[in-house]
């Protein structure tokens, strides 16, 4: 890690984000599977700075809830009188750091390497301020860089204050700066809130520094996407797309096959093993982990789950907070809810739902079943239409099924209930009492066959219909 112990990083996250038209503070909106500000904080973690400070204001408590677990300090800016004001209220927290890096909390694509490069450039250039910029085809919404020539900057001009001839400027201010604090504070003291919003703009400090003959440098970022801020919903969607692209590229580099990659959505903390195949429209969310040589087929959604090696998820499955050991096959159209554990070699078929259930090795539930709060042993067969009636209207009750059990189709197991090892349950049973090991449990009305009943019924119906037929014939004569 570089020695940046003379640097404090300040993340500006106090603004409301009026242009998003939202009741949620802007920096808490998500892109790429995380809140915007969380991305920024994480990118700072590896920069080797003395400390990272987040300026909070609008929905301060909620923002703090997101950032404080990441080990950063926060400073309250109340009211929010502009980006320059945000720095002024943070002066004490920045303390005696020789340099301060300023990053906006709404530009989440910034990478650690880029933060480090900014600090390096600033230190090497012995500047009062160094900024990162991007040249964009559509620079609208951003402040623009007015260059003096070479690396030097004269001023940053906010979009609303652009003179007609400056509208052509397409180098934007990313709001990412490194300042030498000894030069910044006197400059900021001279900035007046002389704009439509009566705010103290940090951008104005640049022209003050320049007028004082200080060096202000700017570097065009290598990847302009890292500079993009999120002021509108369209910006959020664009940034989210970039995060998803990057994550898929990372997985493919690590040996994962992704078909129609642009349709596959993977959250940042997801891990996938070599030679696993992700088919189109798959979503892997939260801290999901998938082993090697598995296949996740079309349109399956997997959230906070751990899958082993050589697992097959057939199309259209929804798997949440569950564990599937190696060599398990599920779906199509299967649903696994929290705390479900499918042990190695088990098979879950179409339209089967599981919740808080353990399914033993080699056990099968192939069609149309609900297994909730159930513990099922090894090599057991759960027939089509089996339901664990786990809820009695007051509490959830467990069902325990042993090894090598055969549960006939359309069985209702009224929990709490146990079926012992090797037992059979007759199809269509409503099981209210435990079934001992190796026994047959059968609980249904006995079948009665009435010989000749059907033919007799047909004759009776034919006689009853005859007069009507004769009348019909008469009418047609
Ligand atoms: C700012 C820059 C603009 C730049 C753009 C890059 C200023 C005056 N303008 O404009 O030159 O092109 O960023 O995205 O700086 N914030 C606070 N306290 C405040 C105001 C804002 O913490 O009082 C935070 C916001 O939460 C946000 C960041 O600062 O995370 C930037 O604020 P925003 O309102 O988005 O500024 P822009 O208009 O985008
Ligand atoms: Mg912005």
């Amino acid at each position: 890690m570089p020695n940046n112990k003379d640097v404090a990083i300040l993340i500006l996250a106090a603004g409301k984000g009026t242009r998003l038209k939202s009741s949620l503070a802007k920096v808490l909106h998500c892109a790429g599977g995380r809140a915007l500000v969380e991305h920024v904080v994480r990118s700072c973690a590896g920069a080797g700075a003395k400390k990272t400070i987040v300026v909070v204001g609008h929905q301060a408590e909620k923002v703090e809830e997101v950032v404080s677990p990441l080990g950063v300090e926060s400073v309250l800016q109340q009211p929010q009188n502009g980006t320059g004001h945000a720095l002024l209220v943070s002066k004490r927290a920045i303390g005696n750091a020789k340099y301060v890096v300023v990053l906006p909390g709404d530009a989440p694509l910034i990478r650690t390497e880029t933060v480090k490069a900014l600090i390096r450039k600033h230190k090497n250039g012995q500047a009062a301020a160094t900024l990162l910029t991007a040249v964009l085809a559509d620079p609208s919404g951003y402040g623009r860089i007015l260059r003096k020539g070479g690396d030097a900057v004269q001023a940053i001009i906010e979009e609303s204050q652009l003179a007609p001839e400056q509208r052509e400027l397409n180098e934007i201010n990313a709001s990412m700066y490194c300042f030498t604090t000894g030069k910044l504070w006197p400059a900021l003291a001279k900035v007046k809130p002389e704009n439509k919003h009566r705010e103290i703009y940090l951008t104005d400090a640049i022209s003050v520094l320049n007028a004082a003959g200080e060096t202000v440098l700017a570097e065009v970022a290598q990847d302009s996407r890292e500079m993009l801020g999120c002021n509108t919903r369209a910006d959020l969607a664009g940034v989210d797309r970039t995060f998803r692209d990057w994550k898929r590229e990372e997985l493919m580099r690590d040996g994962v096959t992704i078909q129609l990659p642009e349709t596959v959505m993977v959250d940042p903390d997801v891990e996938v093993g070599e030679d696993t195949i992700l088919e189109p429209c798959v979503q892997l969310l939260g801290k999901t982990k998938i082993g090697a040589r598995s296949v996740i087929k079309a349109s399956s959604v997997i959230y906070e789950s751990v899958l082993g090696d050589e697992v097959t998820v057939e199309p259209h499955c929804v798997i949440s907070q569950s564990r599937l050991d190696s060599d398990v096959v599920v779906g199509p159209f299967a649903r696994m809810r929290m705390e479900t554990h499918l042990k190695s070699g088990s098979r879950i078929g179409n339209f089967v739902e599981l919740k808080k259930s353990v399914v033993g090795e080699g056990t099968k539930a192939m069609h149309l079943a609900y297994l909730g709060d159930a513990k099922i042993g090894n090599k057991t067969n759960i027939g089509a239409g089996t339901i664990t009636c786990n809820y009695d209207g007051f509490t959830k009750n467990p069902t325990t099924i042993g090894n090598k059990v055969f549960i006939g189709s359309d069985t209702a197991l009224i929990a709490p209930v146990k079926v012992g090892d090797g037992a059979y349950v007759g199809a269509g049973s409503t099981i209210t009492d435990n079934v001992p090991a190796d026994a047959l449990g059968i609980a249904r009305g006995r079948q009665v066959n009435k010989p000749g009943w059907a033919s007799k019924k047909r004759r009776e119906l034919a006689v009853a219909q005859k007069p009507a037929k004769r009348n019909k014939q008469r009418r047609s004569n």
Side-chain angles (χ1 to χ4, degrees):
M1 214 179 263
N3 182 10
N4 285 326
K5 291 296 168 215
D6 46 3
V7 178
I9 301 180
L10 192 72
I11 299 172
L12 308 183
K16 182 170 187 291
T18 315
R19 286 161 284 183
L20 280 182
K21 299 200 171 79
S22 172
S23 58
L24 187 69
K26 171 162 66 176
V27 296
L28 294 177
H29 278 260
C30 282
R34 284 189 187 126
L36 301 180
V37 67
E38 189 183 340
H39 283 289
V40 183
V41 173
R42 282 170 179 266
S43 291
C44 293
K50 180 181 177 188
K51 58 166 140 178
T52 298
I53 307 154
V54 179
V55 185
V56 298
H58 190 71
Q59 295 182 350
E61 281 175 20
K62 282 192 187 166
V63 177
E64 275 186 320
E65 251 171 56
V66 172
V67 299
S68 61
L70 303 168
V72 297
E73 225 176 273
S74 53
V75 166
L76 185 65
Q77 183 199 13
Q78 203 68 274
Q80 296 89 46
N81 282 339
T83 46
H85 179 245
L87 263 104
L88 290 173
V89 301
S90 309
K91 195 171 174 187
R92 258 183 65 187
I94 294 166
N96 61 4
K98 191 167 176 214
Y99 306 100
V100 60
V101 166
V102 178
L103 298 173
D106 67 344
L109 289 160
I110 181 77
R111 291 202 258 212
T112 308
E113 276 314 309
T114 309
V115 177
K116 289 199 278 196
L118 170 65
I119 299 169
R120 217 166 30 238
K121 166 132 187 155
H122 181 80
K123 288 181 175 175
N124 290 343
Q126 297 182 329
T130 305
L131 27 140
L132 284 175
T133 70
V135 176
L136 299 184
D138 175 14
S140 57
Y142 292 95
R144 312 296 161 73
I145 305 293
L146 196 61
R147 291 260 183 182
K148 277 207 296 201
D151 268 4
V153 173
Q154 186 178 335
I156 300 169
I157 305 166
E158 286 306 286
E159 179 157 68
S160 57
Q161 292 164 350
L162 286 174
E165 71 276 10
Q166 291 170 330
R167 299 221 145 254
E168 312 249 298
L169 293 172
N170 61 355
E171 184 178 6
I172 61 114
N173 170 35
S175 221
M176 300 178 188
Y177 320 79
C178 185
F179 292 100
T180 299
T181 48
K183 308 274 182 186
L184 171 69
W185 301 127
L188 253 186
K190 289 190 185 148
V191 172
K192 302 262 159 13
E194 281 161 1
N195 49 65
K196 195 172 85 191
H197 302 287
R198 309 223 41 82
E199 290 184 350
I200 299 175
Y201 285 173
L202 180 57
T203 45
D204 288 345
I206 298 300
S207 40
V208 172
L209 285 170
N210 189 55
E214 300 290 353
T215 310
V216 180
L217 301 176
E219 184 162 75
V220 181
Q222 284 186 353
D223 186 343
S224 63
R225 291 177 299 183
E226 285 186 64
M227 302 293 108
L228 299 178
C230 295
N231 293 319
T232 64
R233 303 269 175 172
D235 293 340
L236 274 177
V239 161
D240 183 67
R241 167 171 294 146
T242 303
F243 274 120
R244 306 299 181 181
D245 283 348
W246 285 355
K247 181 67 189 183
R248 290 187 306 250
E249 283 163 16
E250 175 196 315
L251 292 180
M252 290 191 275
R253 271 197 304 274
D254 289 348
V256 178
T257 293
I258 307 184
Q259 299 171 348
L260 295 184
E262 61 282 9
T263 68
V264 172
M265 195 162 103
V266 185
D267 273 355
D269 292 329
V270 170
E271 292 172 40
V272 185
E274 263 177 37
D275 288 322
T276 284
I277 299 170
L278 307 179
E279 287 194 356
C281 299
V282 160
Q283 295 190 7
L284 305 179
L285 308 174
K287 289 192 171 61
T288 289
K289 197 173 168 190
I290 297 175
R293 300 175 302 283
S294 290
V295 185
I296 315 298
K297 295 195 184 171
S299 297
S300 289
V301 179
I302 306 181
Y303 169 73
E304 292 283 346
S305 296
V306 178
L307 278 62
D309 297 335
E310 285 161 39
V311 170
T312 301
V313 176
E314 296 289 352
H316 302 284
C317 290
V318 180
I319 302 173
S320 173
Q321 296 166 294
S322 293
R323 183 174 144 198
L324 278 60
D325 291 347
S326 295
D327 189 32
V328 160
V329 182
V330 297
F333 299 100
R335 181 175 185 203
M336 271 125 275
R337 289 157 60 202
M338 70 265 214
E339 292 168 45
T340 288
H341 178 191
L342 307 183
K343 292 192 181 168
S344 169
S346 57
R347 301 278 181 271
I348 297 298
N350 39 224
F351 306 106
V352 175
E353 176 184 350
L354 296 110
K355 186 216 77 174
K356 288 192 180 173
S357 288
V358 179
V359 175
E361 288 176 18
T363 287
K364 292 180 181 174
M366 294 303 286
H367 332 266
L368 301 151
Y370 172 61
L371 303 169
D373 304 294
K375 233 193 201 130
I376 306 169
N378 302 332
K379 295 195 174 144
T380 281
N381 200 305
I382 307 290
T386 295
I387 303 288
T388 53
C389 307
N390 58 331
Y391 186 50
D392 57 13
F394 299 96
T395 47
K396 300 282 165 70
N397 298 298
T399 299
T400 309
I401 301 172
N403 299 323
K404 294 186 180 172
V405 170
F406 180 92
I407 306 283
S409 295
D410 205 19
T411 292
L413 296 154
I414 314 283
V417 72
K418 288 183 182 166
V419 181
D421 289 346
Y424 260 65
V425 172
S429 290
T430 299
I431 298 296
T432 53
D433 298 322
N434 293 345
V435 181
D438 294 321
L440 168 68
I442 187 158
R444 62 187 186 214
R446 266 200 174 279
Q447 183 170 334
V448 179
N449 286 341
K450 298 186 175 177
W453 184 94
S455 53
K456 186 172 159 235
K457 189 74 183 173
R458 273 195 294 275
R459 276 198 304 278
E460 281 169 15
L461 285 173
V463 170
Q465 277 178 353
K466 253 182 197 155
K469 259 192 190 165
R470 263 189 233 122
N471 286 343
K472 215 176 170 188
Q473 265 172 0
R474 224 174 276 147
R475 267 203 303 273
S476 58
N477 288 340

